[in-house]
Amino acid sequence: MKMRNDTMVAEFILLGIPETEGLEMALFFLFCSLYLCILLGNILVLSAIISSSRLHTPMYFFLGNLSIFDLGFSSTTAPKMLLYLSGNSRAISYAGCVSQLFFYHFLGCTECFLYTVMACDRFVAICFPLRYNVVMNHRVCSILATGTWMGGCVHAVILTSLTFQLPYCGSNKVGYYFCDMPAVLPLACEDTSLAQRVSFTNVGLLSLICFFLILVSYTRIGISIAKLRSAEGRQRARSTCSAHLTAILCAYGPMFIIYLQPNPRPLLGAVIQISNNLVTPTLNPLIYSLRNKDVKSALRNVFLKRGFNPENK
């Protein structure tokens, strides 16, 4: 990634969440609680998947990837936001701003790809159960997982390069709580139309394609479930998909709300992004574990191995 060395801006100042002046300490305790829940919940899910041989299946392999994503995505913006909400400096270095924008789009794009791959996994499991182990073998799962992360990386490199190849030689005040393209580009000293067009096209097109593939997968899944004669079989099939559908609604629901608004308020946009950054990663471990007996059993074993076994006392 080639950056310009002639920029006059050495650091940026994050102005924070719009329309929240005077609420800094209340927001600090709220977001700090959510961030700690994200760390604890996703680390526990990862530990359960790694430690239990029963969870070494394609579905839980992708769930482990989702936990890694949730840990990284929330950590892209939350630590710096918590620092300035607690009264520390709002300044972020030029390199820090570049890193924040890169990882936000890298992990955001990876999320879309990962949810799509998980929907395809459920499609094969429900519609072609006898061929599932053959189709979703270890090699295929590894290729799909690597592809999601590499695809997100390519997407982020393009957007970050377009953003920071521009010179920044005027105001350094970013009117947002982290370095995102819509907040950073207005500070550039040259024409930003190319970066804006590419950003709108890439983000919008990728999201639509992924959502369309998810919709097609679950349409086929719904048809297959309706054809099952056994009520128990239908219930089992629905239960395997309900967690993933709930997670998708939590991820895509806020995005639809913001895009359906003709002129969304800055505060609404910030609330939607905070929901994606902190609320959804907090809910995912609960969504995938509360109604899943295998995950709950693996979590109990994790605690027992850590010395919480009453028989050891």
Side-chain angles (χ1 to χ4, degrees):
M1 191 185 307
K2 185 179 180 181
M3 306 290 180
R4 290 179 66 111
N5 294 323
D6 59 348
T7 180
M8 295 173 60
V9 172
E11 65 178 15
F12 293 94
I13 306 296
L14 301 174
L15 298 185
I17 304 168
E19 304 176 34
T20 58
E21 292 79 5
L23 300 174
E24 286 80 5
M25 288 311 297
L27 293 175
F28 170 78
F29 287 113
L30 173 62
F31 296 152
C32 186
S33 300
L34 289 173
Y35 186 53
L36 291 175
C37 288
I38 290 169
L39 297 180
L40 177 62
N42 285 286
I43 288 172
L44 284 176
V45 169
L46 269 176
S47 300
I49 292 171
I50 292 171
S51 64
S52 175
S53 58
R54 293 181 62 185
L55 302 185
H56 293 175
T57 63
M59 182 175 75
Y60 295 109
F61 171 72
F62 293 123
L63 178 57
N65 276 264
L66 182 63
S67 292
I68 295 171
F69 156 80
D70 283 337
L71 289 169
F73 195 50
S74 59
S75 299
T76 299
T77 58
K80 182 60 183 179
M81 180 172 63
L82 292 173
L83 276 175
Y84 67 67
L85 284 175
S86 63
N88 289 283
S89 173
R90 293 174 178 264
I92 182 171
S93 67
Y94 187 91
C97 192
V98 174
S99 299
Q100 214 175 45
L101 191 146
F102 171 80
F103 282 105
Y104 182 79
H105 285 280
F106 165 43
L107 294 168
C109 183
T110 302
E111 176 189 33
C112 289
F113 290 153
L114 191 54
Y115 279 130
T116 306
V117 168
M118 293 173 77
C120 293
D121 171 68
R122 293 299 82 205
F123 164 71
V124 177
I126 301 297
C127 299
F128 304 99
L130 299 179
R131 298 176 58 191
Y132 178 67
N133 290 329
V134 176
V135 175
M136 300 300 294
N137 57 58
H138 178 75
R139 181 171 176 271
V140 169
C141 290
S142 299
I143 290 173
L144 289 173
T146 304
T148 61
W149 292 95
M150 292 299 296
C153 184
V154 170
H155 169 79
V157 166
I158 292 170
L159 296 188
T160 308
S161 299
L162 285 172
T163 302
F164 289 101
Q165 70 178 357
L166 297 168
Y168 292 87
C169 50
S171 172
N172 67 339
K173 293 183 179 178
V174 178
Y176 210 43
Y177 71 96
F178 75 100
C179 289
D180 196 10
M181 287 186 74
V184 173
L185 283 177
L187 307 179
C189 301
E190 290 184 2
D191 180 41
T192 62
S193 57
L194 175 61
Q196 289 174 335
R197 284 197 301 270
V198 173
S199 170
F200 181 80
T201 303
N202 272 23
V203 174
L205 190 60
L206 286 174
S207 298
L208 283 174
I209 291 173
C210 289
F211 184 74
F212 175 74
L213 291 174
I214 291 170
L215 190 62
V216 170
S217 295
Y218 274 99
T219 300
R220 289 290 309 276
I221 288 171
I223 293 171
S224 296
I225 291 175
K227 290 180 179 179
L228 292 176
R229 296 181 179 180
S230 167
E232 182 182 352
R234 287 196 297 270
Q235 178 59 33
R236 191 184 304 115
R238 282 195 293 265
S239 66
T240 61
C241 299
S242 59
H244 185 234
L245 274 175
T246 305
I248 288 172
L249 289 175
C250 290
Y252 278 92
M255 287 191 286
F256 285 135
I257 293 172
I258 191 68
Y259 282 116
L260 288 175
Q261 298 285 329
N263 294 300
R265 291 174 57 189
L267 178 59
L268 177 61
V271 169
I272 297 301
Q273 285 197 308
I274 289 170
S275 173
N276 278 334
N277 292 356
L278 292 176
V279 178
T280 301
T282 303
L283 294 176
N284 278 342
L286 297 175
I287 291 169
Y288 282 101
S289 62
L290 284 179
R291 296 182 60 189
N292 191 307
K293 294 180 181 179
D294 291 335
V295 174
K296 287 192 285 187
S297 175
L299 285 172
R300 280 194 295 269
N301 290 335
V302 168
F303 284 114
L304 292 174
K305 288 178 181 178
R306 295 295 182 273
F308 293 98
N309 190 344
E311 296 178 358
N312 292 336
K313 294 184 179 181

